[in-house]
Amino acid sequence: MLKQTSDSPVGTLFIIIEDAHITKISYDEPTNWEILAGEKGEIAIYQQLLEQLAGYFDGEREVFDLPIFLQGTAFQQRVWQALSEIPYGVVVSYKDIAIAAGSPKAVQAVGQANRANPIPILIPCHRCVKSDGALGGYNGADIDKKQYLLALEKGLRLS
């Protein structure tokens, strides 16, 4: 297991890689956080992640090509899959994701699944907003992170 941090334009990212798969990216330091060096395969994935995140934040990468492992309920898995299919720079509603996940009335549950997304940015839950266009919450993080990512994908240069 590899546990590392990485600075980014949206703050420190806490990253966990297990068995050569990204399993967690968090904006908040997990409980009992301890840096672990990891094994060769995990270090290689970590380096690829850093390179792809740098390209994303530089506006040069729109799609991530990394091994991930998501652990969640069947509904969460469907929501995360639907989120993964939202194109770069496109914003959809929670209702759109509920429909795509096969549960059109589960709008609030989609919000909860978004909040539980273990790999934000790579699974782009920031691209999902309320039906009225309001941003709503963002993965337990400050809403400014969601605003930053959406502006980045719209090609706005941010300081």
Side-chain angles (χ1 to χ4, degrees), residues 52-124:
Q52 290 190 25
L53 284 172
Y56 173 78
F57 286 118
D58 287 343
E60 299 169 358
R61 174 174 283 279
E62 296 182 1
V63 177
F64 294 96
D65 180 25
L66 296 160
I68 62 173
F69 179 77
L70 297 167
Q71 197 165 15
T73 67
F75 177 76
Q76 288 172 328
Q77 296 278 346
R78 290 194 313 271
V79 168
W80 298 333
Q81 180 60 43
L83 291 169
S84 296
E85 295 170 6
I86 304 169
Y88 181 91
V90 173
V91 176
V92 301
S93 72
Y94 292 104
K95 177 140 183 87
D96 294 332
I97 295 299
I99 292 166
S103 300
K105 294 184 180 185
V107 176
Q108 283 187 318
V110 165
Q112 292 168 350
N114 276 5
R115 185 175 177 88
N117 174 8
I119 309 177
I121 303 174
L122 275 60
I123 305 295

Side-chain angles (χ1 to χ4, degrees), residues 91-95 126-131 133-135 146 150:
V91 176
V92 301
S93 72
Y94 292 104
K95 177 140 183 87
H126 60 277
R127 297 177 188 156
C128 192
V129 301
K130 294 181 177 182
S131 293
L135 295 185
K146 186 171 189 169
L150 291 173

